[in-house]
């Protein structure tokens, strides 16, 4: 997993909790990297899982809620750091439909070693279906990112999550009538 995800997670923890909490969760989880991350580095996703579990134990908040909140936070950071990806995109559905063909294509150019989840998207007359698959099983993160996009664009869209038998997740985005 790219280090940018780690640095943004720790930034969110500092903003929402405190710098002391960052130190505490690193101490609690004892990541092999020592908790020193660079945005362009690559790290085992289990380090992030360990820090989220430590944060859950210290904050009393459930792990899925923390990961979802991080996804929402991360969308906001992506918008701030990469505004070009948003130029000329009128809706959340248009933006999300281009995740694989636009966003992930550009990420792979910048970081050829990036191990990205896949999003198989299908437009529907009333919205969009997105099937998320990843060996890291960060569906709550994906859901937070998708929700962040919906909020950012201010679209009247509902989001439904369907866990599939193969471990993938279908996110159903529907335009409100």
């Amino acid at each position: 997993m790219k280090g940018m995800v780690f640095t943004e997670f720790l930034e969110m923890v500092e903003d929402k909790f405190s710098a002391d909490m960052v130190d505490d969760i690193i101490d609690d989880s004892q990541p092999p990297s020592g908790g020193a991350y660079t945005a362009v580095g690559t790290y085992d996703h289990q380090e992030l899982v360990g820090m989220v579990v430590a944060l859950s134990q210290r904050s009393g908040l459930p792990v899925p809620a923390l990961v979802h909140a991080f996804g929402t936070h991360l969308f906001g950071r992506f918008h701030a750091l990469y505004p070009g990806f948003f130029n000329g995109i009128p809706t959340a559905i248009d933006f999300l439909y281009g995740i694989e063909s636009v966003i992930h294509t550009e990420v792979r150019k910048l970081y050829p070693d990036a191990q990205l989840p896949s999003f198989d998207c299908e437009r529907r007359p009333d919205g969009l279906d997105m099937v998320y698959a990843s060996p890291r099983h960060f569906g709550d993160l994906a859901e937070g990112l998708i929700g962040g996009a919906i909020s950012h664009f201010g679209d009247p869209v509902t989001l439904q999550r369907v866990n599939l038998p193969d471990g993938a997740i279908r996110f159903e985005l529907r335009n409100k009538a």
Side-chain angles (χ1 to χ4, degrees), residues 14-174:
E14 184 172 346
D15 289 347
K16 302 285 185 198
F17 297 94
S18 70
D20 287 339
M21 181 67 87
V22 171
D23 292 339
D24 291 341
I25 66 171
I26 290 171
D27 289 345
D28 291 351
S29 63
Q30 298 186 0
S33 69
Y37 303 102
T38 64
V40 296
T42 302
Y43 306 92
D44 187 329
H45 77 281
Q46 288 298 329
E47 290 191 30
L48 184 63
V49 171
M51 289 188 289
V52 173
V53 169
L55 180 60
S56 174
Q57 291 169 344
R58 286 190 172 267
S59 69
L61 298 170
V63 168
L66 290 169
V67 175
H68 186 280
F70 175 52
T72 303
H73 167 86
L74 196 55
F75 182 86
R77 293 297 298 145
F78 286 157
H79 180 259
L81 295 169
Y82 306 104
F85 286 134
F86 298 84
N87 291 339
I89 307 293
T91 70
I93 287 176
D94 290 326
F95 177 80
L96 293 167
Y97 184 74
I99 291 291
E100 285 295 327
S101 62
V102 178
I103 308 297
H104 284 179
T105 298
E106 292 301 316
V107 170
R108 285 184 184 99
K109 287 179 189 175
L110 294 170
Y111 307 107
D113 64 333
Q115 297 172 345
L116 302 171
S118 69
F119 287 94
D120 183 18
C121 297
E122 180 182 346
R123 283 199 186 260
R124 301 176 49 91
D126 59 346
L128 177 70
D129 284 349
M130 303 177 71
V131 176
Y132 161 87
S134 172
R136 291 178 294 283
H137 305 287
F138 273 123
D140 295 318
L141 181 68
E143 187 174 8
L145 284 161
I146 294 167
I150 293 167
S151 294
H152 170 78
F153 286 95
D155 296 343
V157 174
T158 61
L159 174 61
Q160 179 74 30
R161 175 180 175 158
V162 179
N163 294 322
L164 302 175
D166 63 357
I169 300 168
R170 184 175 60 245
F171 294 104
E172 300 172 348
L173 291 85
R174 299 295 180 262

